[in-house]
Amino acid sequence: MKKIISLLLTLVMLFSLCACGAKQESEPEKTVAPEQQEESEKTDAPAEAKKETKLFVDSAGREVEVPVNIERIIPSGGMALMFVWPLAGDKLVSVDHKLSDIQTKYLGHGADDLPETGNLYRVGEELNIEEVASLDADIIIDFGEAKEDISKDLDYLQDLLGVPCVFISGTLENSADSYRMLGELLGKDEQAEEIAKYIENLVDTVHKVFETTEKKNAVILNGADALGCVASGTYFDEIWAFMLNNIAVVDESQMYASTGIDFEQLANWDPEYLFFYGSNDPEKIVDADSWQELSAVKNGKYYNVPIGPYGYVTPPSVNRYLAIIWISEVVYPGVFPWDAKEMTKEFYDLFYHYDLSDEEYTEITGLN
């Protein structure tokens, strides 16, 4: 990442030097009378006046000078977009990639016309530097897990574009504080606190329930043949380990991707619950004779993870709080002291500003 940004920075500097040189050769030096110079300075002063700024310390410990009033935001990728949306969806000037129809339905049609700027840390969907530079943004916001070189990467990007870049860390359990930090950055403390309290209530309730309730055994599958698994202890296991006992222990697991297994391995695990995401229709998969021998299939305890507007477990951003509520209802009915439907509706209101109907709730979750 640093090499790419450094190269782009070098090219920009060379272009600027060439442009300046050409201008100096073609334009003779002009002499301006003192009174004309003074009048010119008075006229230009308002145009050159800088926006009022403040210092913001991000999650990487970087002190960044940011505008007091932030009106134009570029998200560093999909996770950042989902994080920023509840507080400042109307201030986003780009999306990571074109919204799907279901995303447009729940996020609104204003976002589907925004330009695509890609992802800072996603191979194959890299940040489109040229597009980013053209959008006159006030700030670029990155969210999620801190990469090893996060400070250097953002400093390079900030120098290249002349746009403040900040990082706000967020995990499943600490995103309440992430929203408080975002609220401080955007001057929306009250709205951020409402979201933070919702998250804290959710997380605290889960901890309390599992003090007296044993987590159920499960395996999480994906891929066209559903023989990729979320291995225990990997990055994408965070939400599953929070709610279940993921028994997919694999010697050579993929930290940031699914880990391939064979059916014999799955049969040896024989979990009580199976969850599918990013797969073909689970009903077609489990229809095979071999799958019919699995306990989860025999007992009808296999589920397809809901989508709307994003998958409930991927990307691993704030959408995962919906997964907590959904899993609590399908795996532990009657155990959690909340109304799953009402909690879900409240999430859609707080995070997507969408009034979810009973029919839509059932359509998305498969629950009544």
Side-chain angles (χ1 to χ4, degrees), residues 282-325:
E283 292 296 339
K284 293 180 179 179
I285 292 171
V286 303
D287 193 46
D289 290 343
S290 55
W291 286 79
Q292 291 292 317
E293 297 303 312
L294 297 175
S295 297
V297 177
K298 286 180 181 178
N299 298 321
K301 295 181 178 181
Y302 60 93
Y303 302 91
N304 202 21
V305 176
I307 299 175
Y310 299 95
Y312 275 21
V313 295
T314 56
S317 188
V318 296
N319 49 321
R320 295 180 297 173
Y321 297 115
L322 285 170
I324 289 174
I325 303 166

Side-chain angles (χ1 to χ4, degrees), residues 96-173:
D96 59 313
H97 65 266
K98 185 173 176 60
L99 299 185
S100 66
D101 290 343
I102 194 168
Q103 289 166 357
T104 298
K105 173 182 177 179
Y106 291 105
L107 300 181
H109 288 274
D112 58 5
D113 289 330
L114 294 176
E116 302 171 46
T117 45
N119 283 265
L120 180 58
Y121 285 106
R122 189 165 185 175
V123 177
E125 297 181 15
E126 288 83 357
L127 203 65
N128 185 333
I129 297 295
E130 184 179 357
E131 186 69 55
V132 169
S134 72
L135 292 175
D136 190 30
D138 291 326
I139 197 167
I140 296 172
I141 298 177
D142 184 39
F143 169 74
E145 180 189 42
K147 308 299 186 292
E148 183 179 354
D149 292 327
I150 185 68
S151 294
K152 293 180 180 178
D153 288 347
L154 292 183
D155 285 344
Y156 270 111
L157 190 62
Q158 190 166 279
D159 290 342
L160 172 63
L161 298 171
V163 177
C165 299
V166 302
F167 169 66
I168 299 178
S169 68
T171 66
L172 191 68
E173 296 195 53

Side-chain angles (χ1 to χ4, degrees), residues 27 54 68 72 80 94 176 187 214 249 251 348:
E27 293 183 7
K54 63 181 180 182
V68 170
R72 298 178 63 81
S94 73
E214 186 176 356
V249 178
D251 289 336
Y348 275 77

Side-chain angles (χ1 to χ4, degrees), residues 17-48:
L17 288 171
C18 291
C20 290
K23 183 176 181 180
Q24 289 172 353
E25 290 176 6
S26 60
E27 293 183 7
E29 185 176 348
K30 295 180 181 179
T31 303
V32 181
E35 61 273 14
Q36 290 177 312
Q37 178 71 28
E38 184 178 351
E39 185 63 32
S40 174
E41 289 175 356
K42 289 180 181 178
T43 304
D44 292 343
E48 294 177 355

